[in-house]
Amino acid sequence: EDWASVNGGHYTQLVYQGEMEVAFDRAATLMRRPAGYTLEVRSEFRKAPGPGKLRVVAGGKTAASSGAAVALILDASGSMLKHMQGKRRIDVAREVLTDAVRRHIPPGTPLALRVFGHREADSCRTDLEMPLAPLDPGKAARVIGGIQATNLARTPIADSLAAVERDLK
């Protein structure tokens, strides 16, 4: 009782067994009541850094000269039909990957492309659309450009990532 008083708490002596349930209800109510707190918020504006760059390097050499390979995974599930900055997400993803294979990944670099969500609705299917081969930028761009998102398809990201090791062998 003294400890409860010193710390601003509550103390109740129970007279009969049925009061225990009431005491627990009161305690729960007291614990859920509003309490005083302080919230401190700091903010600052940072300008977006702009577009990033992709350079595939292994041991100081480019991927094409080092024997390294690149695996690309494209999400073509139903969520990619949503709009982002005035375009569908799938269109943005295709543009980024097309730019990567045409301008940033050197021709001849071993490359594989895996796509999920584009074959059938309500499926967790993931497909190797371009088996590992030296990059032909025109061919890769055509394959990427032909991929369409499928509404109601699932998103097997983990299965796609797990398949990359097999794709690169």
Side-chain angles (χ1 to χ4, degrees), residues 117-124 150-154:
H118 67 306
R119 294 280 181 207
E120 56 193 69
D122 203 31
S123 171
C124 282
T150 300
N151 197 16
L152 302 176
R154 308 226 183 236

PDB file of all heavy atoms in Angstrom, residues 117-124 150-154:
ATOM      1  N   GLY A 117       4.701 -13.989 -62.648  1.00  0.00           N
ATOM      2  CA  GLY A 117       3.398 -13.333 -62.638  1.00  0.00           C
ATOM      3  C   GLY A 117       2.816 -13.036 -64.000  1.00  0.00           C
ATOM      4  O   GLY A 117       1.758 -12.422 -64.086  1.00  0.00           O
ATOM      5  N   HIS A 118       3.445 -13.439 -65.096  1.00  0.00           N
ATOM      6  CA  HIS A 118       2.994 -13.029 -66.418  1.00  0.00           C
ATOM      7  C   HIS A 118       2.320 -14.123 -67.236  1.00  0.00           C
ATOM      8  O   HIS A 118       1.770 -13.851 -68.296  1.00  0.00           O
ATOM      9  CB  HIS A 118       4.182 -12.487 -67.212  1.00  0.00           C
ATOM     10  CG  HIS A 118       5.209 -13.517 -67.547  1.00  0.00           C
ATOM     11  ND1 HIS A 118       5.800 -14.302 -66.597  1.00  0.00           N
ATOM     12  CD2 HIS A 118       5.730 -13.897 -68.738  1.00  0.00           C
ATOM     13  CE1 HIS A 118       6.651 -15.111 -67.177  1.00  0.00           C
ATOM     14  NE2 HIS A 118       6.628 -14.895 -68.475  1.00  0.00           N
ATOM     15  N   ARG A 119       2.326 -15.342 -66.772  1.00  0.00           N
ATOM     16  CA  ARG A 119       1.795 -16.441 -67.574  1.00  0.00           C
ATOM     17  C   ARG A 119       0.331 -16.760 -67.296  1.00  0.00           C
ATOM     18  O   ARG A 119      -0.424 -17.026 -68.213  1.00  0.00           O
ATOM     19  CB  ARG A 119       2.630 -17.699 -67.371  1.00  0.00           C
ATOM     20  CG  ARG A 119       4.021 -17.586 -67.899  1.00  0.00           C
ATOM     21  CD  ARG A 119       4.018 -17.792 -69.391  1.00  0.00           C
ATOM     22  NE  ARG A 119       5.387 -17.704 -69.878  1.00  0.00           N
ATOM     23  CZ  ARG A 119       5.691 -17.340 -71.087  1.00  0.00           C
ATOM     24  NH1 ARG A 119       4.757 -17.035 -71.939  1.00  0.00           N
ATOM     25  NH2 ARG A 119       6.941 -17.280 -71.464  1.00  0.00           N
ATOM     26  N   GLU A 120      -0.049 -16.776 -66.010  1.00  0.00           N
ATOM     27  CA  GLU A 120      -1.426 -17.167 -65.691  1.00  0.00           C
ATOM     28  C   GLU A 120      -1.861 -16.561 -64.367  1.00  0.00           C
ATOM     29  O   GLU A 120      -1.055 -16.348 -63.473  1.00  0.00           O
ATOM     30  CB  GLU A 120      -1.550 -18.696 -65.657  1.00  0.00           C
ATOM     31  CG  GLU A 120      -0.591 -19.368 -64.707  1.00  0.00           C
ATOM     32  CD  GLU A 120      -0.512 -20.864 -64.907  1.00  0.00           C
ATOM     33  OE1 GLU A 120       0.006 -21.299 -65.949  1.00  0.00           O
ATOM     34  OE2 GLU A 120      -0.960 -21.589 -64.008  1.00  0.00           O
ATOM     35  N   ALA A 121      -3.163 -16.277 -64.287  1.00  0.00           N
ATOM     36  CA  ALA A 121      -3.733 -15.701 -63.066  1.00  0.00           C
ATOM     37  C   ALA A 121      -3.716 -16.737 -61.940  1.00  0.00           C
ATOM     38  O   ALA A 121      -3.747 -17.943 -62.197  1.00  0.00           O
ATOM     39  CB  ALA A 121      -5.158 -15.225 -63.326  1.00  0.00           C
ATOM     40  N   ASP A 122      -3.664 -16.263 -60.714  1.00  0.00           N
ATOM     41  CA  ASP A 122      -3.729 -17.086 -59.505  1.00  0.00           C
ATOM     42  C   ASP A 122      -2.642 -18.160 -59.490  1.00  0.00           C
ATOM     43  O   ASP A 122      -2.875 -19.288 -59.094  1.00  0.00           O
ATOM     44  CB  ASP A 122      -5.112 -17.717 -59.362  1.00  0.00           C
ATOM     45  CG  ASP A 122      -5.396 -18.096 -57.912  1.00  0.00           C
ATOM     46  OD1 ASP A 122      -4.886 -17.405 -57.007  1.00  0.00           O
ATOM     47  OD2 ASP A 122      -6.098 -19.088 -57.686  1.00  0.00           O
ATOM     48  N   SER A 123      -1.444 -17.777 -59.953  1.00  0.00           N
ATOM     49  CA  SER A 123      -0.354 -18.728 -60.052  1.00  0.00           C
ATOM     50  C   SER A 123       0.889 -18.181 -59.367  1.00  0.00           C
ATOM     51  O   SER A 123       1.119 -16.980 -59.353  1.00  0.00           O
ATOM     52  CB  SER A 123      -0.044 -18.986 -61.530  1.00  0.00           C
ATOM     53  OG  SER A 123       1.136 -19.744 -61.656  1.00  0.00           O
ATOM     54  N   CYS A 124       1.701 -19.072 -58.817  1.00  0.00           N
ATOM     55  CA  CYS A 124       2.989 -18.706 -58.227  1.00  0.00           C
ATOM     56  C   CYS A 124       4.123 -19.136 -59.153  1.00  0.00           C
ATOM     57  O   CYS A 124       5.211 -19.473 -58.710  1.00  0.00           O
ATOM     58  CB  CYS A 124       3.153 -19.360 -56.851  1.00  0.00           C
ATOM     59  SG  CYS A 124       2.238 -18.517 -55.571  1.00  0.00           S
ATOM     60  N   THR A 150       0.075  -9.738 -65.573  1.00  0.00           N
ATOM     61  CA  THR A 150      -1.188 -10.469 -65.503  1.00  0.00           C
ATOM     62  C   THR A 150      -1.899 -10.125 -64.213  1.00  0.00           C
ATOM     63  O   THR A 150      -1.317 -10.268 -63.132  1.00  0.00           O
ATOM     64  CB  THR A 150      -0.939 -11.992 -65.561  1.00  0.00           C
ATOM     65  OG1 THR A 150      -0.280 -12.291 -66.780  1.00  0.00           O
ATOM     66  CG2 THR A 150      -2.242 -12.766 -65.493  1.00  0.00           C
ATOM     67  N   ASN A 151      -3.143  -9.682 -64.333  1.00  0.00           N
ATOM     68  CA  ASN A 151      -3.918  -9.349 -63.137  1.00  0.00           C
ATOM     69  C   ASN A 151      -4.222 -10.616 -62.349  1.00  0.00           C
ATOM     70  O   ASN A 151      -4.452 -11.677 -62.927  1.00  0.00           O
ATOM     71  CB  ASN A 151      -5.213  -8.638 -63.532  1.00  0.00           C
ATOM     72  CG  ASN A 151      -5.827  -7.916 -62.355  1.00  0.00           C
ATOM     73  OD1 ASN A 151      -5.182  -7.695 -61.334  1.00  0.00           O
ATOM     74  ND2 ASN A 151      -7.073  -7.533 -62.493  1.00  0.00           N
ATOM     75  N   LEU A 152      -4.224 -10.516 -61.060  1.00  0.00           N
ATOM     76  CA  LEU A 152      -4.532 -11.581 -60.111  1.00  0.00           C
ATOM     77  C   LEU A 152      -3.436 -12.641 -60.011  1.00  0.00           C
ATOM     78  O   LEU A 152      -3.636 -13.658 -59.375  1.00  0.00           O
ATOM     79  CB  LEU A 152      -5.871 -12.255 -60.438  1.00  0.00           C
ATOM     80  CG  LEU A 152      -7.083 -11.333 -60.461  1.00  0.00           C
ATOM     81  CD1 LEU A 152      -8.321 -12.111 -60.881  1.00  0.00           C
ATOM     82  CD2 LEU A 152      -7.307 -10.668 -59.123  1.00  0.00           C
ATOM     83  N   ALA A 153      -2.279 -12.422 -60.652  1.00  0.00           N
ATOM     84  CA  ALA A 153      -1.180 -13.377 -60.503  1.00  0.00           C
ATOM     85  C   ALA A 153      -0.508 -13.135 -59.159  1.00  0.00           C
ATOM     86  O   ALA A 153      -0.500 -12.028 -58.638  1.00  0.00           O
ATOM     87  CB  ALA A 153      -0.178 -13.211 -61.635  1.00  0.00           C
ATOM     88  N   ARG A 154       0.041 -14.167 -58.607  1.00  0.00           N
ATOM     89  CA  ARG A 154       0.726 -14.071 -57.319  1.00  0.00           C
ATOM     90  C   ARG A 154       2.139 -13.529 -57.516  1.00  0.00           C
ATOM     91  O   ARG A 154       2.583 -13.325 -58.638  1.00  0.00           O
ATOM     92  CB  ARG A 154       0.751 -15.431 -56.665  1.00  0.00           C
ATOM     93  CG  ARG A 154      -0.641 -16.033 -56.596  1.00  0.00           C
ATOM     94  CD  ARG A 154      -0.918 -16.598 -55.271  1.00  0.00           C
ATOM     95  NE  ARG A 154      -2.235 -17.218 -55.315  1.00  0.00           N
ATOM     96  CZ  ARG A 154      -3.190 -16.889 -54.494  1.00  0.00           C
ATOM     97  NH1 ARG A 154      -2.987 -15.988 -53.590  1.00  0.00           N
ATOM     98  NH2 ARG A 154      -4.350 -17.479 -54.560  1.00  0.00           N
TER      99      ARG A 154
END
